[in-house]
Amino acid sequence: MDYLTNHIEALIFCAPKPIPENELQACLKEMFEADVPIADINDGVAKLEEKYKSDDFSFSLVRSGGGFQFLTKPAYQASIGILLKQQSKKRLSNSSLETLAIIAYKQPVTKSEVEQIRGVNCDYAVQKLLEKELLEIKGKAESVGRPMLYGTSQKFMDYFGINDLKDLPTPKDFPLEENSIGEKAD
């Protein structure tokens, strides 16, 4: 492993969220006081990806959230599941997930539009999602009263491991249940 690759590995490891190529390049440029071509960074990333494919490691290098980060391998899901269960206070409630899903698909959207879709008040859910930094205020609507417009944040992308809103599942990605409520049985 070469000197540049070691620095790339350290930067990815220490980054609190997925680190994009341009951030890697900016850090390396300042470190080496010279331009570091994206091709060299990609070569270093490829070496790291190959290194961490080995079963000797419980994690691998993954492109996620618009950058690179280390993530644990599926074989360790059970032990990580236990840890996450113990940290369940950080989990999202069903009402928060419903609210977040509506905002993710309809953004930018006002709280009253979300409430109209859900059919219930969502003040608490929106407040909790703002506190967890999964939502952010995108501006104000031009309608009467100029209500706040809400949308998802970069932390939302990181939380769900997606690079772009286009990566959100579409309705065709969900299987249809037979004889669902409201459908006529044969």
Side-chain angles (χ1 to χ4, degrees):
M1 199 78 45
D2 63 36
Y3 190 65
L4 176 63
T5 303
N6 288 341
H7 280 275
I8 293 169
E9 181 179 39
L11 289 169
I12 295 170
F13 180 78
C14 289
K17 60 183 183 181
I19 184 169
E21 288 173 342
N22 62 342
E23 267 187 68
L24 284 170
Q25 188 178 38
C27 292
L28 294 168
K29 179 178 181 176
E30 188 173 331
M31 169 66 195
F32 297 120
E33 296 178 350
D35 285 332
V36 179
I38 290 288
D40 291 351
I41 293 170
N42 287 331
D43 288 343
V45 167
K47 288 177 187 174
L48 291 169
E49 286 173 327
E50 189 61 36
K51 172 184 173 180
Y52 289 107
K53 279 184 184 175
S54 165
D55 288 338
D56 295 337
F57 299 97
S58 60
F59 54 90
S60 60
L61 181 60
V62 176
R63 180 178 273 278
S64 170
F68 301 100
Q69 71 181 134
F70 288 108
L71 295 176
T72 51
K73 293 179 179 175
Y76 303 95
Q77 179 180 352
S79 57
I80 293 166
I82 292 167
L83 172 68
L84 295 176
K85 185 177 176 184
Q86 291 175 356
Q87 297 176 337
S88 64
K89 67 177 183 174
K90 295 180 183 177
R91 282 192 172 163
L92 297 173
S93 66
N94 284 342
S95 64
S96 291
L97 279 173
E98 288 173 11
T99 302
L100 187 58
I102 292 167
I103 293 171
Y105 283 99
K106 299 284 188 182
Q107 66 183 306
V109 64
T110 65
K111 194 167 30 168
S112 63
E113 290 170 326
V114 174
E115 289 171 347
Q116 188 175 20
I117 293 168
R118 282 197 69 220
V120 295
N121 185 302
C122 63
D123 289 339
Y124 182 77
V126 168
Q127 185 58 39
K128 286 297 174 189
L129 292 168
L130 285 168
E131 286 173 14
K132 291 178 186 269
E133 298 176 2
L134 295 172
L135 292 183
E136 58 189 19
I137 297 170
K138 298 287 187 175
K140 291 188 173 195
E142 294 298 323
S143 59
V144 176
R146 306 225 345 118
M148 298 285 189
L149 289 170
Y150 297 95
T152 57
S153 65
Q154 184 59 44
K155 194 168 182 180
F156 167 84
M157 304 289 213
D158 299 342
Y159 187 88
F160 289 99
I162 59 175
N163 292 315
D164 193 272
L165 289 175
K166 290 181 249 172
D167 296 339
L168 286 172
T170 58
K172 69 177 185 213
D173 296 334
F174 299 109
L176 292 176
E177 295 178 21
E178 292 183 28
N179 286 335
S180 293
I181 295 174
E183 291 183 348
K184 190 174 183 180
D186 291 329

